[in-house]
Amino acid sequence: MSVIKKIIPSRSGIPLRGALVIAIAAAGMSAGAVQAQTLNIVSWGGAYSDSQLKAYHEPWEKKSGDTIINIDKSSNALSGLRAQVQAGNVTWDLVDMLPSDALIACSEGLIEPLDADTLFAPAPDGTPASEDFIEGSLSECFVPQIVYSNIVAFNTEMFPEDKQPDSIDDVFNLEEFPGKRALQKKPINNLEWALVADGVAPEDVYATLDTDEGIERAFAKLDTIKDSVIWWEEGAQPPQLLADKEVAFASAYNGRIFNAEVNEKQPFSIVWDAQVFELDGWVVPTGKLDKVKDYLMFATDTQRLADQAKYISYGPARTSSASLVSTHADTGIDMKPHMPTYGPNFETAIPKDDEFWADNLDELSQRFNAWLAR
Amino acid sequence: MSDSSVPATSGPEGLTTADGVPLKQSLNRAVRRSRLKALLLVAPLLIFIGLAFVMPIFDMLSRSVDNPEVSTYLPRTSESLTHWDGEGLPDEAAYAALAQDLEAGLKARNLGRVASRLNYEMSGMRSLFTKSARKAGRMEPPFKEALIKADKDWQDPDIWRLIKRESGLYTASYYLAAIDRQFSPTGEIVEKPEYLQIHVVLFIRTFWMSAVITGLALLLAYPVAWLLATLPAGRGNLLMILVLLPFWTSLLVRTTTWIAILQQQGVLNDMLVGVGLIAEEARIQMIYNKTGTIIAMTHILLPFMILPLYSVMKTIPPSYMHAARSLGAGPVTAFRRVYFPQTLPGIGAGSILVFILSIGYYITPALVGGQSGRFITNFIAYHMQTSLNWGLAAAIGSILLVVVILFYLVYNRLIGVDKVKLG
């Protein structure tokens, strides 16, 4: 249902009147305090936006009196930003974006450069922010919040108890593991997994993809399951398809599967083989830095990043947050084994190669679409 | 404005009004005034059409050939390449100009635009530009060596030819991409490799499926419209409501209802399995493919066929058919030679309406079309939202516009648009 673009206001924890009262009170307490404002924040929707709502938005609304409107547009954030900048009317104040999109937006001047040490709080032990985020994760215009992972999950009820899938090869094995597969409708991740299932070692995946034979090989492997694939476009679809038993396997963001498993008690399980992991974080549209400065400082501090991991199984992008990650806020289960960076889960992990995809996405998408249409 | 046709010479020459103005002049003035009034009344509409219709189309047409990136963001390079004949590698001046442009572009943060633009034409250009730009600030002459040291791709003449070719203010690249063609490194127009060809297939599929949908809608609508036109008023109105009710229902509701009916675990498959027509394992795939698009769109567009047909059939007196029968024509002959020709304006109106509407359909194919049932419109949306290649989206849109106009002209030639009757 990707065509139905929803703009859903966040389930604001504070009713408008409450926000006003707090704003007035706050203004009274400290003369000349910044007036309460409305922040339009763009994110991915679903369980992910919920975790941001609880970890960042609600505490911030309580603290500042601001109202935060959550817009579920991150899947088209780059086109939205470009259109708003070209039209000269930028309505988004803060955007949740993938680092690869952020690179492009930054080089096109659509978003603000962010200086880590003046904009983000240092760690509790005093380590400056620029040294506290995971190495190499901060880029000129991008500040990461989480490490998330693209994984394949399955519905445990679709297979006999003594024969549950446990590797990416099983996704491509229609004979032993029958049923439909839901995969994301883009070449990213699918080509990587096809190669791994075809015998390429996870660390050689991008070197192989960089050759024509490698690409041929990946598409040939995908050919073997093409007729059994349902292609999804929105992150909320794969858990739904799995729950309906329309598919046996689904590729998904690991946090969505965790959410369905833990909060909705679905019989899902993740195949922690060849996960493709990357970061996700904030960018600030050009000209909006002053407006969101305070919020950004608040939402990138050590405690807040650790808080988000109470609601969804994504690893915080600050080193100092990692030790604060404990248990799930509602069910109290230990979050660590559900994190993509947890030892056993991480053994065959593939870091998504942003540079490879920045160069080849145009052509490989076209090839992928042509392959799909055939 | 029929008074403008009043012949100004109708009065005898030399007549004047009471205040001495010649009658002709006075009349002209009156006519002009009423024209102005009429114009003022339609002015809001004209302005609206201009703003909401003509300008966007003009904008789309210009965007499909617009090519400002290379000449704007690599000004020195494109200037110095004008003297290059495209043989071998350009001279040191061009390399020096490039190094300057890269450094300036990195500082102004607009290098990404030209990198994206060139990456459409050749994969790998984006990283070539960003990587080289980061080093450009520290480069020392000779720049040719320095750039090639930064990335050996700079000794590939094809890259320089690409930059030279795309440094014009206008480009045909987007139109070529829209019909699965591209420039070869030497500048000839060649087909893209087969594994990258997609748009032509989709254009043909869109037109072909729209024709099928139009034909199906006509087949289904004709008897219904006839029934509507010939039933007594009371029952006719009841039937009319059955036609109008779905017509007024939201497009999205109707489309998603078809999903519920047609999917593998859906109503229709359940019924077929229930009565034992098909086995549990052999549920039919009726949606997320061409079949789904054709079924859902025929249903959605059916009222656009029924209503024009009905309005035409309503005006055909039943006595004509009776007369034909009484003069000895069989029912088939009477229908073919008397009734059917009189319904042609309705058929024409319905068909052109359904065909043009279905070419532009977007939501329904996106929801129920799966892979094989998607239209070219879905790719316009894809290039707008996902691949961000707005020039290509504009080129595809322009081609679609021209084709629709062509269909309209051919249609006008065959049937005559003045005969079209919409009720």
Side-chain angles (χ1 to χ4, degrees):
Chain A
M1 307 275 265
S2 68
V3 286
I4 319 159
K5 295 287 173 259
K6 296 162 290 184
I7 299 182
I8 302 175
S10 70
R11 289 191 270 121
S12 169
I14 307 168
L16 190 59
R17 211 189 310 154
L20 278 176
V21 171
I22 293 170
I24 292 164
M29 275 184 284
S30 59
V34 189
Q35 274 201 321
Q37 51 184 356
T38 303
L39 297 177
N40 295 314
I41 297 186
V42 179
S43 188
W44 297 91
Y48 187 61
S49 282
D50 283 348
S51 73
Q52 290 178 324
L53 184 76
K54 289 182 190 132
Y56 313 130
H57 299 353
E58 282 178 359
W60 176 252
E61 287 179 321
K62 210 169 276 171
K63 189 176 171 208
S64 69
D66 286 356
T67 310
I68 288 174
I69 295 177
N70 210 29
I71 303 167
D72 296 347
K73 285 265 186 190
S74 277
S75 45
N76 286 322
L78 195 49
S79 60
L81 266 182
R82 224 191 236 177
Q84 293 189 8
V85 169
Q86 286 200 4
N89 181 20
V90 182
T91 56
W92 295 347
D93 299 316
L94 194 63
V95 181
D96 198 292
M97 208 181 228
L98 298 179
S100 50
D101 284 352
L103 271 181
I104 295 174
C106 192
S107 69
E108 294 189 7
L110 304 176
I111 51 178
E112 296 273 358
L114 304 172
D115 176 39
D117 286 338
T118 56
L119 288 173
F120 318 133
D125 65 0
T127 317
S130 56
E131 287 161 34
D132 191 36
F133 282 88
I134 294 175
E135 211 189 323
S137 66
L138 280 167
S139 68
E140 194 189 352
C141 304
F142 171 82
V143 52
Q145 302 161 76
I146 52 122
V147 180
Y148 83 99
S149 184
N150 296 283
I151 43 81
V152 175
F154 60 96
N155 188 323
T156 52
E157 289 174 2
M158 301 283 281
F159 303 105
E161 254 170 63
D162 55 336
K163 208 182 167 199
Q164 302 272 320
D166 61 0
S167 81
I168 216 76
D169 305 8
D170 300 341
V171 179
F172 290 82
N173 188 343
L174 288 172
E175 266 167 39
E176 285 183 54
F177 300 96
K180 295 232 170 207
R181 281 90 167 115
L183 296 175
Q184 192 172 9
K185 195 150 88 193
K186 59 180 189 181
I188 303 178
N189 305 332
N190 295 323
L191 294 183
E192 284 97 325
W193 285 329
L195 283 183
V196 172
D198 206 32
V200 176
E203 57 271 24
D204 300 334
V205 161
Y206 287 104
T208 314
L209 265 187
D210 221 359
T211 61
D212 284 341
E213 302 81 58
I215 295 173
E216 290 285 343
R217 193 170 160 192
F219 275 105
K221 188 71 183 176
L222 280 174
D223 259 333
T224 61
I225 55 165
K226 189 178 179 185
D227 292 337
S228 303
V229 176
I230 292 176
W231 300 97
W232 61 266
E233 287 177 272
E234 297 288 324
Q237 283 175 290
Q240 184 63 51
L241 288 163
L242 277 176
D244 289 352
K245 295 191 183 170
E246 279 278 330
V247 299
F249 290 98
S251 71
Y253 310 128
N254 72 296
R256 306 263 181 160
I257 298 299
F258 170 84
N259 184 60
E261 241 183 293
V262 170
N263 290 342
E264 288 156 24
K265 308 275 179 280
Q266 293 289 341
F268 299 167
S269 179
I270 291 176
V271 178
W272 284 110
D273 183 26
Q275 54 155 316
V276 182
F277 71 94
E278 64 175 326
L279 302 152
D280 185 66
W282 299 119
V283 299
V284 181
T286 303
K288 296 289 186 177
L289 192 53
D290 281 337
K291 190 173 173 191
V292 298
K293 229 174 200 164
D294 297 335
Y295 175 83
L296 205 55
M297 174 71 87
F298 176 80
T300 53
D301 76 8
T302 298
Q303 185 57 47
R304 239 47 63 184
L305 259 60
D307 281 352
Q308 194 181 358
K310 285 183 194 159
Y311 303 100
I312 200 156
S313 60
Y314 293 141
R318 286 188 81 134
T319 321
S320 58
S321 304
S323 57
L324 301 175
V325 173
S326 54
T327 54
H328 188 254
D330 298 330
T331 59
I333 66 161
D334 186 10
M335 292 300 285
K336 284 204 182 79
H338 295 280
M339 293 291 173
T341 43
Y342 178 64
N345 300 345
F346 207 60
E347 273 165 19
T348 53
I350 305 171
K352 188 185 142 197
D353 188 335
D354 286 328
E355 195 177 317
F356 174 84
W357 283 113
D359 274 339
N360 296 292
L361 188 61
D362 290 331
E363 187 178 337
L364 285 180
S365 294
Q366 200 187 352
R367 186 164 177 167
F368 181 75
N369 282 320
W371 173 79
L372 280 180
R374 214 147 276 149
Chain B
M1 300 223 279
S2 59
D3 46 354
S4 67
S5 61
V6 173
T9 52
S10 60
E13 288 295 315
L15 279 184
T16 57
T17 51
D19 51 357
V21 182
L23 189 58
K24 200 171 157 184
Q25 202 180 330
S26 170
L27 197 62
N28 275 344
R29 198 178 295 155
V31 168
R32 206 178 307 131
R33 204 174 299 137
S34 71
R35 261 191 200 156
L36 199 68
K37 253 187 232 160
L39 191 69
L40 276 178
L41 282 175
V42 296
L45 182 68
L46 278 180
I47 295 170
F48 176 77
I49 289 178
L51 285 178
F53 199 65
V54 180
M55 267 175 50
I57 287 182
F58 182 76
D59 195 41
M60 176 181 78
L61 290 173
S62 62
R63 202 181 269 277
S64 65
V65 291
D66 209 17
N67 191 35
E69 291 88 357
V70 176
S71 51
T72 314
Y73 302 119
L74 298 177
R76 304 173 192 90
T77 315
S78 43
E79 166 66 30
S80 74
L81 281 182
T82 49
H83 313 299
W84 179 50
D85 59 0
E87 295 295 321
L89 282 175
D91 54 8
E92 167 68 17
Y95 278 94
L98 180 70
Q100 263 185 314
D101 280 338
L102 287 177
E103 199 188 342
L106 189 69
K107 226 172 254 157
R109 294 204 302 134
N110 52 28
L111 200 65
R113 293 183 203 182
V114 66
S116 297
R117 172 69 190 90
L118 292 172
N119 207 64
Y120 295 148
E121 309 294 331
M122 193 189 279
S123 287
M125 294 298 275
R126 195 194 300 276
S127 71
L128 177 64
F129 268 78
T130 42
K131 211 187 298 167
S132 313
R134 262 181 262 130
K135 298 177 187 161
R138 283 172 275 121
M139 280 180 193
E140 311 255 321
F143 288 104
K144 191 167 183 171
E145 256 166 55
L147 272 164
I148 291 172
K149 199 174 147 237
D151 196 312
K152 59 179 173 12
D153 280 352
W154 288 118
Q155 56 186 340
D156 180 358
D158 287 352
I159 283 174
W160 287 99
R161 289 196 198 108
L162 171 65
I163 296 175
K164 185 181 162 77
R165 193 174 68 234
E166 295 301 342
S167 58
L169 278 176
Y170 300 99
T171 181
S173 301
Y174 293 128
Y175 277 101
L176 290 180
I179 52 168
D180 296 334
R181 302 283 190 283
Q182 64 187 9
F183 284 113
S184 72
T186 47
E188 289 120 39
I189 294 169
V190 292
E191 274 193 24
K192 283 197 177 193
E194 207 206 336
Y195 56 78
L196 290 179
Q197 293 186 9
I198 181 158
H199 297 123
V200 172
V201 182
L202 278 162
F203 270 118
I204 294 171
R205 181 196 293 162
T206 304
F207 296 129
W208 165 239
M209 281 175 65
S210 297
V212 170
I213 289 162
T214 310
L216 280 175
L218 181 61
L219 273 180
L220 292 172
Y222 203 90
V224 177
W226 178 80
L227 204 61
L228 272 171
T230 48
L231 276 180
R235 280 192 290 160
N237 282 343
L238 190 72
L239 198 61
M240 192 58 148
I241 287 177
L242 292 182
V243 173
L244 290 177
L245 217 55
F247 184 54
W248 290 329
T249 310
S250 148
L251 179 70
L252 222 48
V253 172
R254 283 187 282 166
T255 306
T256 38
T257 310
W258 276 114
I259 296 179
I261 295 173
L262 294 178
Q263 66 189 0
Q264 288 210 304
Q265 305 294 329
V267 181
L268 196 59
N269 264 315
D270 282 353
M271 268 166 54
L272 289 175
V273 171
V275 298
L277 262 175
I278 54 171
E280 175 66 43
E281 312 80 58
R283 285 171 177 261
I284 309 167
Q285 180 82 39
M286 287 179 286
I287 205 157
Y288 305 125
N289 55 19
K290 275 181 198 167
T291 323
T293 307
I294 290 176
I295 293 175
M297 281 183 60
T298 305
H299 170 248
I300 285 165
L301 291 171
L302 204 53
F304 291 98
M305 189 65 96
I306 293 179
L307 295 175
L309 278 174
Y310 166 77
S311 75
V312 168
M313 287 175 175
K314 198 75 188 158
T315 61
I316 302 173
S319 52
Y320 287 8
M321 280 289 272
H322 297 161
R325 294 300 302 278
S326 73
L327 288 171
V332 177
T333 315
F335 171 78
R336 190 169 55 82
R337 298 193 52 187
V338 176
Y339 193 78
F340 182 74
Q342 296 185 81
T343 59
L344 272 180
I347 295 177
S351 302
I352 194 170
L353 207 59
V354 171
F355 186 75
I356 290 180
L357 277 176
S358 77
I359 281 181
Y361 249 52
Y362 158 65
I363 291 179
T364 307
L367 288 180
V368 303
Q371 276 322 304
S372 61
R374 278 153 69 100
F375 280 12
I376 191 76
T377 39
N378 298 117
F379 266 72
I380 298 180
Y382 168 79
H383 288 303
M384 292 292 294
Q385 297 177 337
T386 310
S387 81
L388 289 178
N389 193 341
W390 291 353
L392 181 52
I396 298 176
S398 306
I399 293 177
L400 208 53
L401 176 71
V402 169
V403 172
V404 168
I405 291 173
L406 280 181
F407 270 113
Y408 174 83
L409 291 177
V410 169
Y411 177 89
N412 189 23
R413 194 68 185 258
L414 291 177
I415 298 185
V417 167
D418 49 337
K419 288 213 187 77
V420 164
K421 237 182 126 181
L422 289 173

